[in-house]
C-alpha cells in the first residue's frame, strides 16, 4: 500500500517538474519571438520575409521563424463568450494573455498558484487596466464594469487552456480592477501629485537581483502611493510606526494605481518583466503572494 502511494507521489512530482520546465521553455520562446518581431520590423525590409511566387509556379509554403509553443497541443483554444461590456483590449495584449494562460494551465494552477500563476495573473490585470488608461485617462475601471471585465478575462484565459476558478485560486475580486480605497485614479491628477519622471526613471528598467537588495523601484512606488493616499487622510495619522490598518490598506490600493500608471508608460511585454521582477523580490523574501501587485 505504501509503495503504491509513494509511486503515485513520485509520478505527480515528475509531472509537476515537467510542467515547470515546459512553462519556462514556453516563456523563453515568447521572449525570443518578441525580439524577432522587433528585429523584423526595424532591421529588414518586408519583402525579405515574403515567399517569392512566380506567375507560373504554385505558392510555396512559408515556414515560420519559430515553432509553436511546446504546450500548444495540451491546451484547448475555444472562442470565449464575452459580455460585450468590457473595454479592455485583449487583442493588443494577446502575447501577455497567452503567457498567462500557460502559467495558469488548468492541471497545475492550484499547485503553482503563488509562485507562477497568481503573480502573472495580477500583472496581467495591472497591465490591461494601465494600457486602457491611455484611452480613458483613468487608472481604474468603475465598479459597474469591473465585474463583467473580470468575467471576460477569466473567459479569455480559460479559452486558451487556463484553469477555471482562477479568481478563487488567486483571491481575485472585481475590486482588483477598480481604484478600491485609493482616492486618486485620474491620470492628470496622478501626475500632478507624484514626481512621475523620477518614478519612471526608477522603474522603467530594473535589475531583478539589485532591485531585491536596493529596492529602488519599490521605494519609488511606496513613496508615490503614500502621496496619493494622503489625499484622503490626516498626514499626522500616517506618520510614525502606529499607522492605522485602514491607512495601510489605502496605501496598498494606491500601489496598484501606481503600477497601472507605470504599465501605461511601457509596452505590455516590458511592463510584464518589471512587474514579475518586483514579484520575485517578494517571493524571495518569503511573502505569500505579491503584496506589491495585489490589494
Amino acid at each position: 500500500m505504501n509503495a503504491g502511494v509513494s509511486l503515485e507521489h513520485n509520478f505527480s512530482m515528475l509531472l509537476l517538474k515537467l510542467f515547470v520546465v515546459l512553462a519556462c521553455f514556453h516563456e523563453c520562446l515568447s521572449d525570443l519571438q518578441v525580439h524577432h518581431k522587433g528585429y523584423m520590423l526595424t532591421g529588414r525590409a518586408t519583402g525579405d520575409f515574403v515567399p517569392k511566387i512566380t506567375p507560373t509556379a504554385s505558392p510555396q509554403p512559408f515556414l515560420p521563424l519559430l515553432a509553436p509553443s511546446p504546450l500548444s497541443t495540451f491546451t484547448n483554444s475555444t472562442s470565449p463568450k464575452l459580455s460585450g461590456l468590457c473595454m479592455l483590449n485583449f487583442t493588443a495584449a494577446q502575447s501577455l494573455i497567452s503567457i498567462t494562460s500557460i502559467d495558469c494551465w488548468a492541471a497545475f494552477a492550484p499547485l503553482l498558484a503563488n509562485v507562477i500563476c497568481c503573480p502573472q495573473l495580477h500583472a496581467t490585470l495591472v497591465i490591461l487596466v494601465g494600457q486602457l488608461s491611455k484611452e480613458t485617462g483613468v487608472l481604474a475601471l468603475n465598479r459597474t464594469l469591473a465585474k463583467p471585465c473580470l468575467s471576460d478575462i477569466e473567459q479569455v484565459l480559460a479559452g486558451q487552456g487556463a484553469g477555471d476558478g482562477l479568481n478563487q485560486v488567486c483571491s481575485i475580486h472585481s475590486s482588483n480592477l477598480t481604484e478600491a480605497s485609493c482616492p486618486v485614479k485620474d491620470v492628470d491628477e496622478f501626475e500632478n501629485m507624484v514626481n512621475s519622471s523620477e518614478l519612471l526613471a526608477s522603474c522603467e528598467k530594473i535589475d531583478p537581483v539589485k532591485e531585491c537588495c536596493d529596492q529602488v523601484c519599490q521605494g519609488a512606488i511606496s513613496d508615490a502611493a503614500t502621496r496619493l493616499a494622503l489625499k484622503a487622510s490626516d498626514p499626522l495619522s500616517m506618520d510614525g510606526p502606529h499607522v492605522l490598518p485602514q491607512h495601510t490598506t489605502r496605501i496598498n490600493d494606491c500601489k496598484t494605481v501606481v503600477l497601472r500608471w507605470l504599465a501605461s508608460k511601457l509596452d505590455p511585454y516590458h511592463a510584464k518583466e518589471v512587474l514579475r521582477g518586483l514579484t520575485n523580490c517578494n517571493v524571495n523574501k518569503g511573502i505569500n503572494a505579491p503584496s506589491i501587485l495585489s490589494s
Side-chain angles (χ1 to χ4, degrees), residues 27 33 58 83 87 95-96 125 130 171 220 230 237 247 249 256 295:
E27 187 149 354
Q33 189 173 20
S58 300
S83 66
M87 298 182 295
S95 177
L96 177 67
L125 298 182
S171 299
L230 282 172
S237 68
H247 298 322
T249 299
T256 301
S295 57

Side-chain angles (χ1 to χ4, degrees), residues 199-208 211 216-217 266 270 274:
L199 175 62
L200 185 60
S202 299
C203 295
E204 65 179 341
K205 186 177 181 180
I206 65 171
D207 184 310
E211 176 59 31
V216 174
C217 177
L266 307 172
H270 191 175
V274 171

Side-chain angles (χ1 to χ4, degrees), residues 27-51:
E27 187 149 354
C28 290
L29 286 181
S30 298
D31 294 350
L32 184 58
Q33 189 173 20
V34 170
H35 293 305
H36 270 293
K37 288 180 179 178
Y39 178 75
M40 289 170 64
L41 290 175
T42 59
R44 295 285 189 90
T46 304
D48 292 343
F49 292 91
V50 177

Side-chain angles (χ1 to χ4, degrees), residues 6 8-9 11 22 29 32 46 50 71-72 76 82-83 86 96 105 136 152 165 174-175 195 207 215 217-218 265:
S6 176
E8 182 178 355
H9 175 73
F11 183 69
L22 290 176
L29 286 181
L32 184 58
T46 304
V50 177
L71 295 181
S72 60
N76 296 323
L82 303 183
S83 66
C86 186
L96 177 67
W105 190 31
T136 64
D152 284 356
S174 58
S175 61
N195 188 338
D207 184 310
Q215 299 185 12
C217 177
Q218 295 172 82
K265 300 301 177 183

